[in-house]
Amino acid sequence: MPDDLRSPGPHPGLLDALRQILGPHGLLTEASDLEPYLADWRALYRGEAMAVLRPASTEEVSACVKLCAERGITIIPQGGNTSMVGGATPEAKPNQVILSLARMNRVLDVDTADMTMTVEAGLVLARAQQVAAEHGALFPLSLGAEGTAMIGGLLSTNAGGNTTVRYGNARELMLGLEVVLPDGGVIHGLRRLRKDNTGYALRHLFVGAEGTLGIITAAVLRLFPAAKETATALCAVPSEDAALALFRRFRAADEGAVRAFEYMSGIGMGLVLNHIEGTSLPIGQDAQHFVLVDLSASREGAGLRGLLESVLEAAMEAGEVEDAALAESEAQRAALWKLREEHPEAQKRAGASVKSDVSVPVSAVPEMIRRSSAALRELIPGSRPVPFGHMGDGNIHMNLEQPEGMAAEDFLARAHDIMDCVNAIVRELGGSFSAEHGVGRLKTDMMEEWRGGAELSAMRAIKAALDPRGIMNPGKVLP
Ligand code: FAD
Ligand code: 2HG
Ligand code: ZN
């Protein structure tokens, strides 16, 4: 830690004052302690910070923010640091601190009459799911990073994941929020109301704001009845169109039963099988397209297995499904999910890749995948398109793996060409360049083109009103 931050210099006594607020365990200043907070999961960005603040209460967050605001110190809120868009990584600039919510991880209340759970922002998602299950209920948000991502980060990105098709994004799972504003003021909004039309719905401003408007310190989450029955199948399908047709069949048969409907390509599946230990493919060794369909019901005897079999049978007769493996146990179900969930890790291990987290109307998914794959192959000969993701939401990760033998730096130097190539097609199809991961740092330069004019002006006005000094997560979201 530079001495000028302790005594005479631009911020005399700042660290001492922060230590007074946070106590000895609440402030990290040693370079080795700071290291894990300074880079993102994809290793795209690395920044600097004079300290990591680890408050244990909302009062401590508020006092720290007030102090930083007075001194013009910028604050980067951080949860599990699993952002795919560099949202929680500081810039390479002085006068910044990271504020980690990791110590604020308590469950404050579980109410199975109201079907709500009130938690601090640093609670890890997997723990939230576990606590809900211990109370005989379900917190349905589910994604590959659930062992690390925290409720505050998930709400701040309005995370989607595998169950959006049934339960909605993180926003739909939130009833109330507690937020520390950029001047240190606190919005005490931990209300567990299903209806609350009292002026502007401020709580929704902070969901998806990616830490640019304030710090979420706690939330009231919605609970649902626990699943009593599930039925899961991995299907090899002949085309993207067949995958969509299968989704429509399940939706028509029983829309409420579809918990997840995920698409994967043969190339992506190959990467998982090659790079992730303990994976094997039960069907479709040569298939180019796969679908994972997961059904669930909150009552026993719902007949999901019969539903799954009858829909697949009809789809096979119609030539929409080539082969299917049905999970016969929880272990088999987990093994099928592993083939899907390990796609990000497999891509990471396989070499350099560029991600395009895009959405289009569900009906346009096959065309988007087909056209993007062809355009990407033409743009970078030898590159391998790896589309996968949440087909039932129209949200596909239209990722591209580097050509074998190409230098990673050369491939990554084309990242913006690659994203532009996909985005041009997505735009024509009426989609979005940022479906569920957020804008973060990676996509700020796309905001002007996609959300320019009145929309961006309104966003800037909100930012200026709440954070006039611009201390909250600068360089993210807004160009
Ligand atoms: P961080 O990465 O720490 O932060 C994310 C953003 O929120 C940053 O801008 C940060 O400043 C801000 N922030 C964090 N905490 C707070 C707070 N308390 N108050 C205000 N701002 C805050 N995302 C999906 O949507 N769907 C998926 O299926 C999915 N799968 C993933 C799989 C893997 C393997 C990985 C690595 C990531 C995946 N993600 C997915 C992306 C990521 O997990 C989500 O964006 C998640 O919501 C981030 O949570 P976090 O706690 O790690 O937040
Ligand atoms: C997923 O759906 C995540 O697995 C990560 O959103 C997507 O790695 C990606 O591009
Ligand atoms: Zn995803």
Side-chain angles (χ1 to χ4, degrees):
M1 169 52 42
D3 279 332
D4 63 357
L5 296 168
R6 290 206 176 87
S7 51
H11 304 290
L14 175 71
L15 291 181
D16 285 340
L18 286 169
R19 198 170 281 113
Q20 285 272 313
I21 297 167
L22 295 164
H25 304 300
L27 188 71
L28 306 179
T29 56
E30 293 298 327
S32 57
D33 292 337
L34 263 49
E35 198 51 41
Y37 300 87
L38 298 178
D40 64 314
W41 187 83
R42 297 174 64 187
L44 289 181
Y45 301 105
R46 200 180 181 288
E48 297 301 325
M50 61 174 83
V52 173
L53 322 186
R54 290 167 46 88
S57 68
T58 304
E59 293 70 34
E60 289 184 10
V61 175
S62 165
C64 290
V65 171
K66 213 172 274 174
L67 187 66
C68 289
E70 283 162 13
R71 309 275 185 114
I73 304 290
T74 59
I75 301 171
I76 295 89
Q78 197 175 98
N81 199 17
T82 64
S83 171
M84 287 285 188
V85 288
T89 309
E91 297 178 287
K93 288 183 180 166
N95 301 334
Q96 306 184 104
V97 294
I98 293 167
L99 191 144
S100 163
L101 279 298
R103 286 175 74 210
M104 294 181 60
N105 58 5
R106 289 177 305 160
V107 176
L108 303 174
D109 177 66
V110 179
D111 191 320
T112 51
D114 287 333
M115 290 300 268
T116 58
M117 178 161 78
T118 306
V119 306
E120 290 184 328
L123 187 72
V124 168
L125 174 54
R127 180 73 190 130
Q129 295 165 345
Q130 190 187 348
V131 171
E134 283 162 9
H135 287 78
L138 170 77
F139 182 58
L141 193 62
S142 174
L143 41 88
E146 65 196 22
T148 313
M150 297 174 187
I151 295 300
L154 292 154
L155 287 168
S156 296
T157 56
N158 188 24
N162 305 326
T163 56
T164 302
V165 67
R166 167 94 149 264
Y167 298 99
N169 293 315
R171 182 188 302 285
E172 278 85 40
L173 303 174
M174 178 278 300
L175 293 177
L177 277 193
E178 180 184 79
V179 180
V180 172
L181 295 169
D183 65 358
V186 182
I187 294 184
H188 296 283
L190 291 181
R191 290 180 279 265
R192 56 172 91 160
L193 304 174
R194 304 277 160 164
K195 290 191 172 182
D196 181 21
N197 290 346
T198 45
Y200 305 135
L202 290 179
R203 63 192 180 281
H204 285 298
L205 264 187
F206 301 96
V207 176
E210 302 183 47
T212 60
L213 298 179
I215 299 174
I216 296 174
T217 47
V220 181
L221 305 174
R222 289 175 65 194
L223 296 179
F224 294 80
K228 296 268 170 45
E229 198 176 302
T230 60
T232 309
L234 178 72
C235 311
V237 299
S239 64
E240 299 89 344
D241 289 301
L244 179 65
L246 186 60
F247 176 61
R248 294 180 62 170
R249 269 182 200 279
F250 276 107
R251 215 173 40 181
D254 187 350
E255 183 166 24
V258 182
R259 176 185 171 270
F261 194 93
E262 298 281 308
Y263 170 85
M264 289 154 281
S265 71
I267 293 181
M269 198 62 102
L271 295 180
V272 171
L273 297 168
N274 280 339
H275 294 279
I276 307 292
E277 48 294 334
T279 53
S280 63
L281 194 55
I283 48 149
Q285 306 304 325
D286 301 319
Q288 293 308 303
H289 310 275
F290 293 90
V291 157
L292 181 64
V293 57
D294 202 23
L295 309 179
S296 77
S298 57
R299 66 182 178 88
E300 276 157 22
L304 294 182
R305 175 70 183 221
L307 177 73
L308 185 63
E309 284 175 1
S310 66
V311 172
L312 290 179
E313 215 173 281
M316 277 180 177
E317 272 169 30
E320 291 159 4
V321 170
E322 291 163 340
D323 201 357
L326 277 60
E328 302 293 345
S329 64
E330 265 309 306
Q332 284 187 7
R333 181 170 180 244
L336 295 184
W337 266 107
K338 192 176 164 84
L339 292 169
R340 160 62 185 93
E341 289 291 54
E342 293 290 356
H343 268 64
E345 184 61 34
Q347 274 213 280
K348 199 177 178 184
R349 292 186 193 176
S353 64
V354 172
K355 295 183 187 298
S356 287
D357 164 40
V358 296
S359 62
V360 291
V362 178
S363 58
V365 166
E367 183 178 348
M368 189 278 288
I369 297 177
R370 252 194 322 270
R371 284 178 58 189
S372 300
S373 299
L376 289 170
R377 283 199 173 98
E378 198 177 316
L379 182 73
I380 309 213
S383 65
R384 292 160 290 166
V386 186
F388 67 93
H390 321 293
M391 185 166 209
D393 312 320
N395 171 201
I396 296 292
H397 303 298
M398 195 58 238
N399 299 348
L400 190 67
E401 197 71 31
Q402 68 168 89
E404 274 164 312
M406 186 175 187
E409 314 82 78
D410 295 346
F411 178 70
L412 291 176
R414 307 289 309 275
H416 277 264
D417 296 341
I418 293 168
M419 288 188 278
D420 288 349
C421 172
V422 174
N423 286 345
I425 293 161
V426 167
R427 198 184 185 98
E428 269 182 49
L429 295 172
S432 169
F433 70 101
S434 167
E436 61 169 5
H437 295 162
V439 174
R441 203 159 145 183
L442 182 67
K443 299 183 178 177
T444 47
D445 64 338
M446 299 175 195
M447 285 292 276
E448 194 74 59
E449 185 191 337
W450 286 76
R451 294 288 179 268
E455 231 171 319
L456 195 52
S457 300
M459 288 191 213
R460 286 195 164 118
I462 291 167
K463 172 75 175 171
L466 288 180
D467 184 16
R469 295 189 186 93
I471 65 159
M472 221 32 99
N473 212 6
K476 317 291 163 52
V477 183
L478 298 176

